[in-house]
Amino acid sequence: VRRARRPRQGVSRFVASLWRGDVPLASAFWEYTIVYGLLVNAVATMGAMMLFSADEPLIGLIVHVLPTPYNFLMLVAVWRSAGKYRGRAEWATAAKVAAVILFPITLVA
């Protein structure tokens, strides 16, 4: 029995759908901003700390700021997904506020 395959979406198309806010708010916020964002930022921070302790401050700084484009994309994705959200307005507002608060934290943490 052959199962129908779900067409795979290319990375650039997926990034474009995030940018446009076409990803559901719950996924944009919880999955991509919180879960994957935490993972990406934790790995970058650990790598940067190892480089700082190895007396490589410039490379450590570069590694530390590498997730910034991803974090900015997530800020935009949550904001735009919240604008298209058809549920309770309080959830959309809360997601926007949380994304705005989280973005500068990811720059320094």
Side-chain angles (χ1 to χ4, degrees), residues 83-101:
K84 296 178 179 183
Y85 183 65
R86 297 295 163 233
R88 293 180 57 182
E90 296 86 10
W91 291 117
T93 301
K96 285 180 175 180
V97 169
V100 167
I101 291 170

Side-chain angles (χ1 to χ4, degrees), residues 2-106:
R2 293 180 78 181
R3 286 198 268 174
R5 284 190 169 173
R6 194 174 121 207
R8 294 180 76 147
Q9 189 177 24
V11 173
S12 61
R13 283 187 176 177
F14 182 68
V15 169
S17 68
L18 281 166
W19 184 261
R20 290 189 307 266
D22 293 340
V23 174
L25 178 59
S27 292
F29 182 77
W30 290 109
E31 187 176 352
Y32 298 106
T33 302
I34 300 299
V35 175
Y36 296 140
L38 177 64
L39 181 64
V40 165
N41 286 293
V43 168
T45 298
M46 287 188 291
M49 292 175 85
M50 290 187 326
L51 288 162
F52 288 136
S53 68
D55 204 26
E56 293 289 346
L58 180 59
I59 299 171
L61 180 62
I62 291 168
V63 168
H64 180 71
V65 299
L66 276 177
T68 301
Y70 178 84
N71 294 321
F72 182 73
L73 173 63
M74 292 307 99
L75 172 65
V76 172
V78 168
W79 193 272
R80 291 182 176 173
S81 292
K84 296 178 179 183
Y85 183 65
R86 297 295 163 233
R88 293 180 57 182
E90 296 86 10
W91 291 117
T93 301
K96 285 180 175 180
V97 169
V100 167
I101 291 170
L102 284 172
F103 182 71
I105 291 171
T106 64

